[in-house]
C-alpha cells in the first residue's frame, strides 16, 4: 500500500495492489483502476481515462486525460433516451391495432365454464381436524432434523428447531385457508345450483367474468330479477374511453402517422363493440351461472338532440336465450345480424350511430 501527494493541482489518493501491475485507487472522488509499470500507468476512474507519468520518489507526476467522461456520458444518455423514445413509438401502432382487433372480436373471446355440479361434489383437501399436507411436510422436516457439529458447537440446536416450529405454524395457517376455501366453494356451489339470488351474485364475485370489457375501460354490473333463471346485466360502454377516435399507422421511415378517425369508421367500431360485447357478456354469464336467460342493456352517453347535452341512454337492449346462443358458431357471424335472432331494441345508422331505445324489462 502506498500513499502519495502531488503538486500542481494538489490531490490525495490511496492505492491498493490487487494484482501484478494492477492497483485499486481510492480518492475522495471515487474508485478507479490503474495498470502499468513503475513511472508509467494508465488508469480509469470517476474522472475518465488518463495516462500518468511519475518521477519516482517525489510523488510529482504528469497526467493527461485520454477521454472526456462527461462528454461520453452525455452522448450515452442521449442514445439511451433516443432508443426508449423509438421503442415507445414502435409500440404505439401495434397497441392501437391490438385494441381495434379486440373491439372488433369481443364475441369470439373464449370463456371459462364453471361446473357447479362437480364443484359441489369436490372432496376436501384433507379430512377435517386432521393434519394438513403443508403441516405434514414440515413435521417430516422436523423428524429428519439432525444438528450439525457447528450447531452443537455454537449452541444453536434449539434455535434451529424453533425456526422449524415457526414454519409449522405458518403451514397450519395455509392448510386452514385451503380447507376453508374448499368448504366455502362447495357450499356456494350447492346454493348456486339451487339458484339462490345472493349465491348467484356471489358466484360472479368469486369467478369474475367480463375481464375483456373491464380491461378496455367499460363497466359491467349484474342484478337478479324475480325469476331466478334470469339475470340482468348493465353494460356501460364508456365509448369515449374504449373506442379510439384516431387512426395510427407507421410510415416507411418508421414514424407514427396519426389522423382523425372518420365518423363512419368510428360508428362501425362502436357497433361491433356494442353488439359483439353484448353477445360476449351473455356467453360469459351463461358459462358462469346456471340460468336460462340473460338480459343485456348496453348504456352509453349520447347527445340529447333537444338539449345538446350528453346523457346516459340505452343503445341496445337484448334478451338472450341460452339454448339458442349455444348453437351459434361465433367465428362466422356478424354480431349485428346475430342480435336480430333475439328479442331486442336497437336503432343504429352508420352515419349517425346509435339512437336511444327503450329498455326491455326483465321478468
Amino acid at each position: 500500500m502506498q500513499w502519495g501527494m502531488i503538486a500542481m493541482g494538489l490531490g490525495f489518493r490511496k492505492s491498493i495492489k490487487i494484482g501484478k501491475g494492477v492497483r485499486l485507487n481510492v480518492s475522495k472522488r471515487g474508485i478507479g483502476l490503474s495498470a502499468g509499470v513503475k513511472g508509467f500507468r494508465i488508469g480509469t476512474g470517476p474522472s475518465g481515462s488518463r495516462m500518468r507519468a511519475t518521477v519516482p520518489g517525489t510523488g510529482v507526476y504528469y497526467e493527461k486525460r485520454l477521454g472526456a467522461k462527461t462528454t461520453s456520458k452525455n452522448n450515452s444518455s442521449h442514445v439511451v433516451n433516443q432508443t426508449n423514445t423509438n421503442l415507445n413509438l414502435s409500440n404505439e401502432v401495434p397497441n392501437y391495432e391490438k385494441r381495434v382487433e379486440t373491439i372488433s372480436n369481443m364475441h369470439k373471446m373464449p370463456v371459462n365454464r364453471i361446473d357447479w355440479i362437480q364443484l359441489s361434489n369436490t372432496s376436501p383437501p384433507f379430512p377435517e381436524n386432521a393434519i394438513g399436507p403443508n403441516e405434514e411436510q414440515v413435521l417430516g422436516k422436523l423428524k429428519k432434523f439432525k444438528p450439525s457439529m457447528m450447531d452443537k458447537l455454537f449452541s444453536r440446536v434449539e434455535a434451529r428447531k424453533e425456526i422449524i416450529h415457526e414454519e409449522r405454524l405458518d403451514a397450519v395457517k395455509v392448510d386452514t385457508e385451503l380447507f376453508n376455501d374448499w368448504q366455502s366453494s362447495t357450499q356456494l356451489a350447492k346454493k348456486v345450483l339451487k339458484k339462490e339470488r345472493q349465491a348467484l351474485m356471489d358466484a360472479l364475485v368469486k369467478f369474475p367474468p367480463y375481464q375483456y370489457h373491464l380491461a378496455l375501460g367499460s363497466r359491467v354490473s349484474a342484478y337478479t330479477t324475480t325469476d331466478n333463471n334470469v339475470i340482468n346485466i348493465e353494460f356501460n360502454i364508456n365509448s369515449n374511453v374504449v373506442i379510439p377516435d384516431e387512426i395510427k399507422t407507421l410510415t416507411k421511415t418508421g414514424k407514427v402517422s396519426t389522423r382523425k378517425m372518420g365518423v363512419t369508421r368510428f360508428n362501425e367500431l362502436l357497433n361491433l363493440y356494442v353488439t359483439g360485447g353484448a353477445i360476449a357478456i351473455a356467453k360469459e354469464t351463461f358459462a358462469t351461472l346456471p340460468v336460462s336467460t340473460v338480459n343485456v342493456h348496453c348504456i352509453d352517453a349520447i347527445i340529447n338532440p333537444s338539449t345538446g347535452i350528453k346523457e346516459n341512454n340505452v343503445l341496445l337492449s337484448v334478451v338472450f336465450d341460452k339454448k339458442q346462443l349455444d348453437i351459434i358458431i361465433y367465428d362466422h357471424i356478424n354480431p349485428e345480424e346475430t342480435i336480430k335472432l333475439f328479442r331486442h331494441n336497437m336503432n343504429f345508422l352508420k352515419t349517425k350511430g346509435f339512437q336511444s331505445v327503450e329498455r326491455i324489462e326483465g321478468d
Side-chain angles (χ1 to χ4, degrees):
M1 185 179 297
Q2 74 180 50
W3 300 81
M5 186 72 71
I6 60 173
M8 297 298 293
L10 294 175
F12 181 81
R13 67 184 175 85
K14 183 178 182 180
S15 182
I16 304 171
K17 187 175 181 180
I18 60 175
K20 188 174 181 180
V22 181
R23 292 183 178 276
L24 176 69
N25 303 312
V26 183
S27 70
K28 64 180 181 180
R29 291 186 180 181
I31 298 174
L33 286 173
S34 66
V37 296
K38 188 174 183 180
F40 181 82
R41 303 188 71 80
I42 295 178
T44 183
S47 301
S49 299
R50 66 187 68 196
M51 176 273 292
R52 176 179 293 172
T54 65
V55 180
T58 66
V60 178
Y61 63 79
Y62 168 77
E63 184 176 273
K64 180 180 180 181
R65 291 178 181 269
L66 300 179
K69 188 176 179 71
T70 301
T71 303
S72 173
K73 182 178 180 180
N74 289 341
N75 289 340
S76 174
S77 176
H78 173 73
V79 171
V80 170
N81 291 336
Q82 186 65 41
T83 302
N84 288 341
T85 301
N86 290 338
L87 183 63
N88 292 335
L89 289 176
S90 66
N91 287 336
E92 198 171 335
V93 173
N95 288 344
Y96 161 79
E97 291 174 344
K98 181 64 177 176
R99 188 174 192 84
V100 170
E101 181 184 2
T102 302
I103 288 170
S104 305
N105 294 284
M106 292 296 290
H107 59 287
K108 298 180 183 179
M109 296 302 179
V111 297
N112 295 319
R113 296 191 177 276
I114 309 299
D115 190 335
W116 293 106
I117 295 177
Q118 182 181 13
L119 188 56
S120 67
N121 294 320
T122 303
S123 300
F126 55 91
E128 191 172 7
N129 299 321
I131 295 176
N134 292 284
E135 182 184 6
E136 188 173 2
Q137 185 178 10
V138 176
L139 288 175
K141 181 179 177 180
L142 182 62
K143 186 177 181 180
K144 294 178 181 178
F145 172 70
K146 292 182 179 180
S148 66
M149 183 65 69
M150 297 298 290
D151 291 333
K152 295 176 181 178
L153 181 63
F154 291 100
S155 302
R156 60 187 187 192
V157 175
E158 293 304 316
R160 291 285 301 278
K161 287 183 178 180
E162 184 62 29
I163 291 174
I164 299 177
H165 283 303
E166 289 178 0
E167 290 179 8
R168 181 184 180 184
L169 294 176
D170 291 336
V172 170
K173 291 179 182 178
V174 173
D175 287 334
T176 301
E177 291 175 2
L178 188 66
F179 189 89
N180 290 341
D181 185 63
W182 164 82
Q183 194 171 50
S184 64
S185 295
T186 52
Q187 289 175 354
L188 175 63
K190 292 173 183 176
K191 292 178 181 179
V192 167
L193 291 171
K194 294 178 181 177
K195 296 185 177 66
E196 295 183 13
R197 292 185 189 176
Q198 187 56 52
L200 295 177
M201 295 297 99
D202 290 342
L204 292 177
V205 174
K206 187 173 183 62
F207 303 99
Y210 325 128
Q211 294 304 305
Y212 293 107
H213 302 76
L214 300 177
L216 286 171
S218 295
R219 296 188 295 276
V220 184
S221 57
Y223 56 96
T224 56
T225 68
T226 54
D227 185 345
N228 290 349
N229 269 316
V230 179
I231 293 291
N232 272 300
I233 306 290
E234 289 211 354
F235 174 25
N236 194 314
I237 306 299
N238 202 13
S239 62
N240 64 322
V241 172
V242 175
I243 312 298
D245 57 3
E246 294 178 331
I247 297 175
K248 297 180 184 293
T249 56
L250 276 179
T251 66
K252 292 181 179 180
T253 59
K255 294 183 179 179
V256 176
S257 172
T258 303
R259 67 181 188 277
K260 184 73 175 176
M261 181 178 289
V263 173
T264 301
R265 177 55 176 161
F266 180 89
N267 288 337
E268 179 186 350
L269 281 178
L270 180 59
N271 179 282
L272 284 169
Y273 186 62
V274 171
T275 56
I279 292 170
I281 283 174
K283 282 172 57 182
E284 290 197 75
T285 306
F286 286 133
T288 307
L289 301 177
V291 295
S292 58
T293 304
V294 173
N295 302 326
V296 180
H297 312 292
C298 304
I299 301 167
D300 198 23
I302 61 176
I303 295 176
N304 185 329
S306 61
T307 63
I309 299 173
K310 277 192 172 183
E311 300 173 355
N312 278 334
N313 287 276
V314 177
L315 308 187
L316 168 65
S317 189
V318 55
V319 178
F320 289 101
D321 174 75
K322 185 179 188 302
K323 291 181 179 179
Q324 191 172 6
L325 198 66
D326 281 346
I327 65 174
I328 293 172
I329 302 174
Y330 296 101
D331 286 341
H332 305 296
I333 67 169
N334 178 330
E336 184 177 1
E337 294 302 315
T338 301
I339 291 293
K340 295 176 183 178
L341 298 176
F342 303 90
R343 184 159 65 98
H344 72 284
N345 285 338
M346 182 175 72
N347 183 6
F348 174 79
L349 297 172
K350 289 183 178 180
T351 55
K352 294 184 178 180
F354 284 95
Q355 309 301 303
S356 179
V357 296
E358 291 293 325
R359 179 194 299 263
I360 299 177
E361 296 298 338
D363 296 330

